[in-house]
Amino acid sequence: MKGKKLINSLYLFFTGIYYINLVMGMGMIGFEVLNFIQPKKDILASYLGKFKIEINSAFELGQSKVFVESFSGTPSLALEGSYHKYYVFLFVLVLATIAILYSFLVRNLFKELKSSVDKDTLFRNAIERNLSNISIVSFVVFAVLLAMSVLKLVFLKAIEIENILIVPQFDNWILNFLWIGIGFYLLKEIFAVGIQLKKEQDLTI
Protein backbone atom coordinates (compact mmCIF):
# COMPACT_ATOMS: atom_id res chain seq x y z
CA MET A 1 0.00 0.00 0.00
CA LYS A 2 2.84 2.40 0.87
CA GLY A 3 4.54 1.61 -2.43
CA LYS A 4 1.35 2.38 -4.33
CA LYS A 5 0.96 5.73 -2.55
CA LEU A 6 4.61 6.56 -3.26
CA ILE A 7 4.23 5.85 -7.00
CA ASN A 8 1.01 7.91 -7.12
CA SER A 9 2.78 10.78 -5.35
CA LEU A 10 5.78 10.58 -7.68
CA TYR A 11 3.48 10.55 -10.71
CA LEU A 12 1.77 13.74 -9.48
CA PHE A 13 5.17 15.29 -8.67
CA PHE A 14 6.68 14.61 -12.09
CA THR A 15 3.46 15.71 -13.80
CA GLY A 16 3.82 19.04 -12.00
CA ILE A 17 7.52 19.25 -12.93
CA TYR A 18 6.64 18.56 -16.57
CA TYR A 19 4.09 21.39 -16.76
CA ILE A 20 6.44 23.78 -14.93
CA ASN A 21 9.26 22.97 -17.37
CA LEU A 22 6.86 23.30 -20.29
CA VAL A 23 5.68 26.76 -19.22
CA MET A 24 9.17 28.00 -18.32
CA GLY A 25 10.77 26.53 -21.44
CA MET A 26 8.18 28.02 -23.78
CA GLY A 27 8.48 31.33 -21.92
CA MET A 28 12.26 31.38 -22.41
CA ILE A 29 11.94 30.53 -26.10
CA GLY A 30 9.18 33.12 -26.53
CA PHE A 31 11.35 35.79 -24.90
CA GLU A 32 14.20 35.01 -27.30
CA VAL A 33 11.82 35.24 -30.29
CA LEU A 34 10.53 38.63 -29.09
CA ASN A 35 14.13 39.76 -28.61
CA PHE A 36 14.73 39.02 -32.30
CA ILE A 37 11.80 41.20 -33.34
CA GLN A 38 12.55 44.11 -31.01
CA PRO A 39 15.91 43.76 -29.24
CA LYS A 40 15.72 44.84 -25.61
CA LYS A 41 18.88 43.34 -24.25
CA ASP A 42 22.22 42.08 -25.52
CA ILE A 43 22.05 38.68 -23.80
CA LEU A 44 25.14 36.78 -22.70
CA ALA A 45 25.01 33.01 -22.33
CA SER A 46 27.32 30.15 -21.41
CA TYR A 47 26.71 28.39 -24.72
CA LEU A 48 30.43 27.76 -25.23
CA GLY A 49 30.55 25.49 -22.19
CA LYS A 50 33.43 24.88 -19.80
CA PHE A 51 36.72 26.80 -19.77
CA LYS A 52 39.85 26.84 -17.67
CA ILE A 53 40.56 30.42 -16.57
CA GLU A 54 44.23 31.08 -15.78
CA ILE A 55 44.88 34.29 -13.87
CA ASN A 56 48.26 33.90 -12.13
CA SER A 57 47.81 36.79 -9.73
CA ALA A 58 47.84 37.48 -5.99
CA PHE A 59 45.87 39.72 -3.64
CA GLU A 60 45.69 40.55 0.06
CA LEU A 61 42.93 38.97 2.17
CA GLY A 62 43.17 40.23 5.74
CA GLN A 63 46.55 39.20 7.11
CA SER A 64 47.11 36.65 4.36
CA LYS A 65 48.19 36.81 0.75
CA VAL A 66 46.11 34.72 -1.64
CA PHE A 67 47.56 33.36 -4.87
CA VAL A 68 45.18 32.51 -7.73
CA GLU A 69 46.51 30.40 -10.58
CA SER A 70 43.48 28.93 -12.34
CA PHE A 71 39.91 27.73 -11.96
CA SER A 72 37.31 26.09 -14.17
CA GLY A 73 33.84 27.38 -14.98
CA THR A 74 31.30 28.30 -17.62
CA PRO A 75 31.70 32.05 -18.16
CA SER A 76 29.10 34.01 -20.11
CA LEU A 77 30.89 34.66 -23.40
CA ALA A 78 29.60 36.22 -26.61
CA LEU A 79 31.21 35.52 -29.96
CA GLU A 80 31.69 38.77 -31.81
CA GLY A 81 29.23 39.40 -34.63
CA SER A 82 25.57 39.47 -35.50
CA TYR A 83 25.25 35.68 -35.03
CA HIS A 84 25.49 35.92 -31.24
CA LYS A 85 21.72 36.20 -30.78
CA TYR A 86 21.23 33.03 -32.85
CA TYR A 87 23.72 31.16 -30.68
CA VAL A 88 21.85 32.30 -27.57
CA PHE A 89 18.53 31.25 -29.11
CA LEU A 90 19.93 27.81 -30.00
CA PHE A 91 21.42 27.46 -26.50
CA VAL A 92 18.08 28.28 -24.84
CA LEU A 93 16.18 26.05 -27.28
CA VAL A 94 18.43 23.05 -26.56
CA LEU A 95 18.24 23.50 -22.77
CA ALA A 96 14.45 23.97 -22.81
CA THR A 97 13.96 20.97 -25.10
CA ILE A 98 16.09 18.69 -22.91
CA ALA A 99 14.28 19.77 -19.73
CA ILE A 100 10.80 19.38 -21.27
CA LEU A 101 11.61 16.08 -22.99
CA TYR A 102 13.10 14.42 -19.89
CA SER A 103 10.29 15.54 -17.59
CA PHE A 104 7.77 14.29 -20.18
CA LEU A 105 9.45 10.87 -20.45
CA VAL A 106 9.78 10.45 -16.68
CA ARG A 107 6.14 11.51 -16.23
CA ASN A 108 5.06 8.88 -18.77
CA LEU A 109 7.15 6.25 -16.99
CA PHE A 110 5.46 6.90 -13.65
CA LYS A 111 2.09 7.06 -15.39
CA GLU A 112 2.64 3.51 -16.63
CA LEU A 113 3.97 2.42 -13.22
CA LYS A 114 0.84 3.85 -11.59
CA SER A 115 -1.36 2.01 -14.09
CA SER A 116 0.57 -1.21 -13.53
CA VAL A 117 0.28 -1.01 -9.74
CA ASP A 118 -3.46 -0.31 -10.05
CA LYS A 119 -3.84 -3.43 -12.19
CA ASP A 120 -1.37 -5.51 -10.12
CA THR A 121 0.72 -6.25 -13.23
CA LEU A 122 4.14 -4.67 -12.76
CA PHE A 123 5.96 -6.31 -15.68
CA ARG A 124 4.32 -4.73 -18.73
CA ASN A 125 5.70 -3.94 -22.18
CA ALA A 126 4.67 -0.28 -21.82
CA ILE A 127 7.09 0.20 -18.91
CA GLU A 128 9.90 -1.46 -20.84
CA ARG A 129 9.21 0.88 -23.80
CA ASN A 130 9.33 3.94 -21.54
CA LEU A 131 12.63 2.83 -20.00
CA SER A 132 13.98 2.20 -23.50
CA ASN A 133 12.85 5.67 -24.68
CA ILE A 134 14.65 7.43 -21.81
CA SER A 135 17.78 5.36 -22.47
CA ILE A 136 17.78 6.14 -26.22
CA VAL A 137 17.16 9.87 -25.69
CA SER A 138 20.00 9.99 -23.14
CA PHE A 139 22.44 8.35 -25.57
CA VAL A 140 21.39 10.71 -28.39
CA VAL A 141 21.74 13.81 -26.18
CA PHE A 142 25.15 12.57 -25.00
CA ALA A 143 26.34 11.99 -28.59
CA VAL A 144 25.21 15.44 -29.78
CA LEU A 145 26.72 17.28 -26.81
CA LEU A 146 29.92 15.24 -27.08
CA ALA A 147 30.32 16.26 -30.74
CA MET A 148 29.71 19.92 -29.86
CA SER A 149 32.27 19.83 -27.04
CA VAL A 150 34.90 18.20 -29.29
CA LEU A 151 34.25 20.80 -32.01
CA LYS A 152 34.80 23.54 -29.41
CA LEU A 153 38.17 22.03 -28.44
CA VAL A 154 39.23 21.71 -32.09
CA PHE A 155 38.14 25.07 -33.49
CA LEU A 156 38.05 27.51 -30.56
CA LYS A 157 41.45 28.90 -29.61
CA ALA A 158 42.51 30.16 -26.20
CA ILE A 159 41.31 33.69 -25.38
CA GLU A 160 43.85 36.07 -23.81
CA ILE A 161 42.70 39.23 -21.99
CA GLU A 162 45.58 41.16 -20.38
CA ASN A 163 46.88 38.75 -17.71
CA ILE A 164 43.91 36.34 -18.01
CA LEU A 165 44.00 33.28 -20.27
CA ILE A 166 40.72 31.49 -21.02
CA VAL A 167 41.32 27.96 -22.36
CA PRO A 168 38.53 25.71 -23.75
CA GLN A 169 37.96 22.48 -21.81
CA PHE A 170 35.99 19.31 -22.36
CA ASP A 171 32.49 19.61 -20.88
CA ASN A 172 32.63 16.58 -18.58
CA TRP A 173 29.10 17.24 -17.23
CA ILE A 174 27.69 15.69 -20.42
CA LEU A 175 28.92 12.30 -19.15
CA ASN A 176 25.88 12.39 -16.86
CA PHE A 177 23.69 11.66 -19.90
CA LEU A 178 25.82 8.60 -20.68
CA TRP A 179 25.39 7.24 -17.13
CA ILE A 180 21.64 7.97 -17.26
CA GLY A 181 21.40 6.11 -20.58
CA ILE A 182 23.31 3.11 -19.24
CA GLY A 183 21.27 3.04 -16.03
CA PHE A 184 17.90 3.08 -17.81
CA TYR A 185 19.15 0.55 -20.36
CA LEU A 186 20.00 -1.87 -17.52
CA LEU A 187 16.59 -1.26 -15.95
CA LYS A 188 14.97 -1.94 -19.32
CA GLU A 189 16.83 -5.24 -19.61
CA ILE A 190 15.76 -6.24 -16.09
CA PHE A 191 12.14 -5.51 -16.96
CA ALA A 192 12.52 -7.48 -20.20
CA VAL A 193 13.66 -10.52 -18.19
CA GLY A 194 10.75 -10.04 -15.79
CA ILE A 195 8.27 -9.85 -18.69
CA GLN A 196 9.69 -13.04 -20.21
CA LEU A 197 9.49 -14.89 -16.88
CA LYS A 198 5.90 -13.73 -16.42
CA LYS A 199 4.98 -15.00 -19.90
CA GLU A 200 6.56 -18.39 -19.15
CA GLN A 201 4.72 -18.54 -15.84
CA ASP A 202 1.39 -17.74 -17.53
CA LEU A 203 1.99 -20.47 -20.13
CA THR A 204 2.83 -22.97 -17.37
CA ILE A 205 -0.37 -22.17 -15.53
Side-chain angles (χ1 to χ4, degrees):
M1 185 62 71
K2 289 183 179 180
K4 185 175 181 179
K5 288 182 178 179
L6 176 62
I7 290 175
N8 288 338
S9 299
L10 288 173
Y11 167 66
L12 293 174
F13 173 76
F14 284 112
T15 298
I17 292 294
Y18 165 66
Y19 285 114
I20 290 171
N21 284 337
L22 184 62
V23 171
M24 291 182 63
M26 297 306 293
M28 291 167 61
I29 294 170
F31 176 79
E32 292 297 333
V33 171
L34 290 175
N35 202 53
F36 280 150
I37 299 170
Q38 189 175 3
K40 296 289 185 181
K41 188 177 181 182
D42 184 19
I43 304 169
L44 291 176
S46 305
Y47 53 75
L48 292 175
K50 186 177 179 182
F51 287 82
K52 180 181 180 182
I53 302 171
E54 299 178 355
I55 300 178
N56 295 321
S57 63
F59 60 92
E60 300 291 337
L61 185 64
Q63 300 295 321
S64 304
K65 194 170 186 179
V66 178
F67 295 90
V68 180
E69 291 186 355
S70 65
F71 62 91
S72 296
T74 53
S76 292
L77 300 173
L79 295 178
E80 184 180 359
S82 59
Y83 292 104
H84 166 59
K85 60 183 179 181
Y86 298 104
Y87 291 135
V88 174
F89 177 77
L90 184 61
F91 176 73
V92 170
L93 181 63
V94 168
L95 288 185
T97 301
I98 290 174
I100 292 170
L101 185 57
Y102 267 98
S103 55
F104 174 74
L105 291 172
V106 174
R107 170 185 175 265
N108 281 356
L109 174 61
F110 277 93
K111 182 180 179 181
E112 292 299 334
L113 284 170
K114 178 179 177 296
S115 178
S116 296
V117 170
D118 290 339
K119 297 175 182 177
D120 293 325
T121 56
L122 181 60
F123 292 103
R124 299 170 62 209
N125 290 326
I127 295 176
E128 183 189 357
R129 282 197 303 271
N130 277 276
L131 292 171
S132 179
N133 289 339
I134 297 175
S135 177
I136 291 169
V137 167
S138 299
F139 287 135
V140 170
V141 170
F142 168 72
V144 171
L145 294 179
L146 176 64
M148 292 173 64
S149 187
V150 170
L151 287 173
K152 179 187 73 174
L153 293 175
V154 172
F155 292 106
L156 195 62
K157 306 301 180 185
I159 304 167
E160 188 171 2
I161 308 171
E162 296 181 355
N163 65 328
I164 300 175
L165 187 64
I166 305 175
V167 183
Q169 283 193 313
F170 176 72
D171 300 288
N172 51 5
W173 61 271
I174 67 177
L175 291 172
N176 293 330
F177 291 102
L178 176 62
W179 310 137
I180 292 171
I182 292 173
F184 276 95
Y185 175 78
L186 293 175
L187 284 175
K188 189 264 295 186
E189 289 298 309
I190 291 170
F191 261 82
V193 171
I195 290 170
Q196 187 61 36
L197 290 174
K198 184 178 181 301
K199 288 180 179 178
E200 293 176 359
Q201 185 183 29
D202 292 342
L203 289 173
T204 303
I205 295 171

